Structure formats: structure tokens, C-alpha cells
Amino acid sequence: MKAWIKWSVCFGMFLQAALGGIVIAWWFFPQASIFQNIFAYLLTDFGQKVILGLGIYLVVLAVLWLSWTISRPTTQGSMTIHRDHASKVQIDQKAVENNVRLTLGKYDLFNIEVKVKLLSNRKQADVVVVATLSQTTDPTVLESQITQTVRRDLKEMLNIELRRLNLKLKPYHYDQKVTIV
């Protein structure tokens, strides 16, 4: 999530918390002079517009929150790849990661790290591959080959569509320790 989205959500939630605190304090201390002044202000024409604006703000915030929670993709640690009448076949996220890592072992890559996000509603996966290049590989050709290999491997072996592949290739340095798959 981007930083400006987090800050705007925090600001919106802070406004809600402040309004809630004021209402709770008003409930416990209705005779306090400051709350009587606020109540007299809210009875004016401009005060009624303030109440209407706050109500609209809360309704819009609730609708946005509900639409975000309903429309975001559902991720899980395992996915059902085949379902029959009496049985189903599930695959674990770690198994998919290990499968992709072993598939990428035929390329000249070191220190391969794979992270998979399974989108169970759509039978899709987001894959992030972080690896170190060897000296002899061309990154532009390798990128297209890896994309095709991962897409084909996920579709043929596991019946999972590749939605997004994020490939991060780092150059190799001589004094760096490597793990070869």
C-alpha cells in the first residue's frame, strides 16, 4: 500500500476517533458548559450543515471501506486446484514456491528466492522472484524465458494462472556467497 493512502486512512480514522471521543464525553457529561455551547452551536443553521457534512463523511467512509474489503482479492496459504464430488486437491503456498524455485534451477541464477501470493477466488498467483545473475547471462533474454517458463509451469502442472511476475535480478559479485539450485 502506498504511503499517501496509509496517511489518508490514518487521518480519516483519527477524525472518526476524535468525533467518537467527543460524543462519548458528551454522553457522560451533558451539563458541562463546553458541551452546552457546542449544542447551542449545532442548533444554528450552520451547525445543521456541519452535522450533515459529518454524516455524509461517515457514510462515504463506510461505503469506501466496504467496497475495498469486498473487492480486494482473497489470498490464502493454500488453494484448491481440483474439486470433485467427494474430494478435492489442495496445494500449499510453500509447495508452489518450491516448485517455481526448482523450475528456475535450470537457468544460470544463484540465490533464488521465490514468494507466491495465491489468489484463491480466481485460481491465479502473483509471483516475486529475487535472484543473482551469473556473469554469462543476458538479463533481457532471461527475463522473457523465465516469464514463459513460470507461466507454463504453473498452468500445466498446477492449473494456476500467472497474474503477475515481479522479477528482481541482481548482479553477481566475486566475494558473494551463492546457493546453486
Side-chain angles (χ1 to χ4, degrees):
M1 189 180 291
K2 293 182 174 26
W4 68 271
I5 294 174
K6 289 181 183 180
W7 281 107
S8 62
V9 168
C10 281
F11 179 70
M13 293 302 142
F14 173 75
L15 283 178
Q16 275 190 306
L19 288 173
I22 290 170
V23 169
I24 290 171
W26 192 356
W27 180 266
F28 284 115
F29 307 107
Q31 299 302 324
S33 64
I34 188 165
F35 293 122
Q36 288 179 353
N37 292 340
I38 291 174
F39 187 66
Y41 171 74
L42 291 178
L43 290 177
T44 64
D45 189 39
F46 187 71
Q48 294 295 313
K49 291 179 183 175
V50 168
I51 290 174
L52 180 65
L54 289 175
I56 291 171
Y57 164 75
L58 292 175
V59 167
V60 167
L61 198 63
V63 167
L64 288 176
W65 182 76
L66 281 174
S67 65
W68 178 73
T69 56
I70 290 172
S71 66
R72 72 180 176 154
T74 305
T75 60
Q76 294 180 348
S78 64
M79 178 187 291
T80 302
I81 58 174
H82 180 72
R83 185 181 303 258
D84 204 355
H85 296 288
S87 61
K88 64 181 177 180
V89 178
Q90 285 188 325
I91 189 153
D92 189 48
Q93 176 183 353
K94 295 291 183 187
V96 175
E97 289 174 355
N98 196 29
N99 184 25
V100 172
R101 188 175 64 82
L102 292 176
T103 300
L104 296 177
K106 65 183 178 182
Y107 295 106
D108 289 334
L109 298 174
F110 307 126
N111 299 341
I112 301 172
E113 296 175 18
V114 178
K115 292 184 179 123
V116 174
K117 188 188 304 183
L118 297 174
L119 307 171
S120 60
N121 289 352
R122 303 177 190 139
K123 285 193 176 180
Q124 293 178 337
D126 291 344
V127 179
V128 176
V129 176
V130 179
T132 304
L133 287 169
S134 70
Q135 296 291 337
T136 60
T137 56
D138 181 21
T140 56
V141 174
L142 189 64
E143 186 262 336
S144 64
Q145 290 175 348
I146 288 175
T147 303
Q148 292 171 358
T149 302
V150 170
R151 177 172 281 123
R152 184 179 59 245
D153 184 47
L154 287 176
K155 185 62 181 167
E156 290 177 359
M157 294 181 73
L158 305 172
N159 195 23
I160 299 173
E161 293 286 333
L162 179 67
R163 185 176 84 157
R164 183 180 308 140
L165 176 65
N166 190 351
L167 190 60
K168 299 177 184 176
L169 300 175
K170 299 180 275 187
Y172 171 74
H173 300 291
Y174 285 108
D175 54 340
Q176 184 179 5
K177 293 182 180 180
V178 297
T179 303
I180 300 174
V181 178

